Amino acid sequence: MAIAAGGGDCREKATATWGQPVELPPPTAEEAAVRQFAEPLIRGALEYRDEADGVITKHAKNWELHRIAAVDRNILRLAIYEMLHREDIPPIVSINEAVDIAKKFSTQDSGRFVNGILDKVKGELMRPARGVK
């Protein structure tokens, strides 16, 4: 007999839901705002992924793209998308946010690595680093 943590029999309660749609409660106002902000960024980074990968490869001397930590690679992709295609986000903001995320979620050296690549990208931009259009 399977005993649940609370002391009851859990066999008849557990059902597999793999591949079945899951009903979630509606998002809170805060969750909706985060989604509204994040979704275009994610879609844009995916749409321009190949372009971002080319930029990363160009500036990551002695690093093959597949050898860059996946977290760092994706942080770079998102920041490069913002810097090249989102004129409502100042490039310096994209860099600062990317470096902070890399420091928090990747390796000890990731912040410097991400900053180095994005600083090179910023140097090639044809718009001010601190302003928006």
Side-chain angles (χ1 to χ4, degrees):
M1 172 181 279
I3 304 296
D9 185 347
C10 65
R11 283 182 291 184
E12 67 269 358
K13 295 179 188 174
T15 58
T17 59
W18 185 259
Q20 296 177 6
V22 176
E23 271 197 52
L24 299 174
T28 65
E30 185 178 347
E31 290 168 338
V34 169
R35 286 181 186 178
Q36 186 176 5
F37 173 78
E39 190 170 324
L41 295 177
I42 294 166
R43 290 186 189 283
L46 289 171
E47 181 179 346
Y48 291 98
R49 177 182 167 178
D50 291 340
E51 178 187 27
D53 286 353
V55 172
I56 295 166
T57 301
K58 175 182 174 183
H59 294 296
K61 302 294 182 207
N62 303 317
W63 281 91
E64 294 178 35
L65 189 66
H66 72 276
R67 289 188 56 228
I68 297 172
V71 172
D72 297 350
R73 206 170 43 237
N74 286 315
I75 291 169
L76 287 166
R77 286 171 174 158
L78 180 58
I80 290 168
Y81 161 71
E82 288 179 352
M83 293 170 75
L84 298 180
H85 298 284
R86 291 292 303 262
E87 294 184 357
D88 60 322
I89 302 171
I92 200 75
V93 171
S94 298
I95 294 170
N96 290 340
E97 293 293 326
V99 169
D100 287 346
I101 293 168
K103 286 179 180 177
K104 184 172 183 176
F105 294 105
S106 196
T107 69
Q108 183 178 358
D109 296 324
S110 292
R112 285 194 316 251
F113 177 74
V114 166
N115 186 61
I117 300 295
L118 296 178
D119 191 55
K120 291 175 184 175
V121 175
K122 179 183 64 128
E124 296 179 345
L125 291 177
M126 302 305 286
R127 67 183 180 117
R130 296 188 183 275
V132 296
K133 283 191 176 181

